[in-house]
Every structure is written in C-alpha cells, then in structure tokens.
C-alpha cells in the first residue's frame, strides 16, 4: 500500500513490517505497518557522545539496553539537545517506532 497517512505520526502499510497493528485511528484495511520518517530524522552515520565515537543507532554506557542516536536539528519529533548532559544534538531512541 502506498503513501504515508495520519498527520500526527505518518505510517504506511508494508509487507514484513516490524509492527503488527496500525496505530489508532487507522484505516480498517491496514495490517502490518511502519512509521514514515523524514530524512532529517534518520540516525546520523557517525556521531560523538562523551568523547566516544558511535555509528548509526547505538547503545552507550549510560543506555546499555536502549539504543539511540543523534539526528538532524531539523527533526521535529526528536528530543532536544542538552549540552549540560553532553547531548550536543537532537536525538531519538531507536525503539520509539521510528526508523533508524
């Protein structure tokens, strides 16, 4: 099925999707789906956190079971940077339903 739907969190029906049920509200014919992620919300290829280099979606010593990554500051759905904590760019968890 084509195109992204739902203005709040766009998604589309796809084969072999990681999610089984579309978020509400959804068309009744949507089964497996994936969220549509703008390019600006994709994980940066490489990034630095607390003087360590990481690639893509990674775990860090302070987040060993919840991988995350830096994204573009243009990503509207990402968490804000916090330079006090060493977070120098907008970021997201990779388990938040968004593509990495």
């Amino acid at each position: 099925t084509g195109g992204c739907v739902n203005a709040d969190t766009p998604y589309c029906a796809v084969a072999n999707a990681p999610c089984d049920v579309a978020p509400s509200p959804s068309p009744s014919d949507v089964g497996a789906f994936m969220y549509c992620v703008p390019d600006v919300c994709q994980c940066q290829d490489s990034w630095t956190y607390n003087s360590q280099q990481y690639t893509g979606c990674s775990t860090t010593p302070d987040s060993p079971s919840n991988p995350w990554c830096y994204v573009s500051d243009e990503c509207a759905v990402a968490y804000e940077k916090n330079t006090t904590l060493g977070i120098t760019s907008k970021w997201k968890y990779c388990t938040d339903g968004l593509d990495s």
Side-chain angles (χ1 to χ4, degrees):
T1 307
C4 294
V5 295
N6 186 341
D8 291 345
T9 307
Y11 63 91
C12 57
V14 295
N16 301 317
C19 306
D20 293 329
V21 180
S24 255
S26 68
S28 60
D29 63 343
V30 173
F33 76 98
M34 289 184 72
Y35 288 105
C36 304
V37 179
D39 289 341
V40 295
C41 294
Q42 297 294 322
C43 288
Q44 293 179 5
D45 290 336
S46 67
W47 46 280
T48 303
Y49 173 66
N50 285 342
S51 301
Q52 293 289 329
Q53 191 71 24
Y54 296 95
T55 58
C57 197
S58 298
T59 57
T60 56
D62 56 351
S63 186
S65 59
N66 202 357
W68 63 282
C69 66
Y70 282 155
V71 296
S72 168
D73 284 343
E74 304 296 315
C75 181
V77 297
Y79 295 99
E80 291 296 324
K81 58 181 118 181
N82 184 332
T83 53
T84 303
L85 298 177
I87 300 170
T88 58
S89 184
K90 280 191 164 183
W91 63 282
K92 69 172 186 172
Y93 286 113
C94 301
T95 55
D96 63 5
L98 299 173
D99 282 324
S100 59

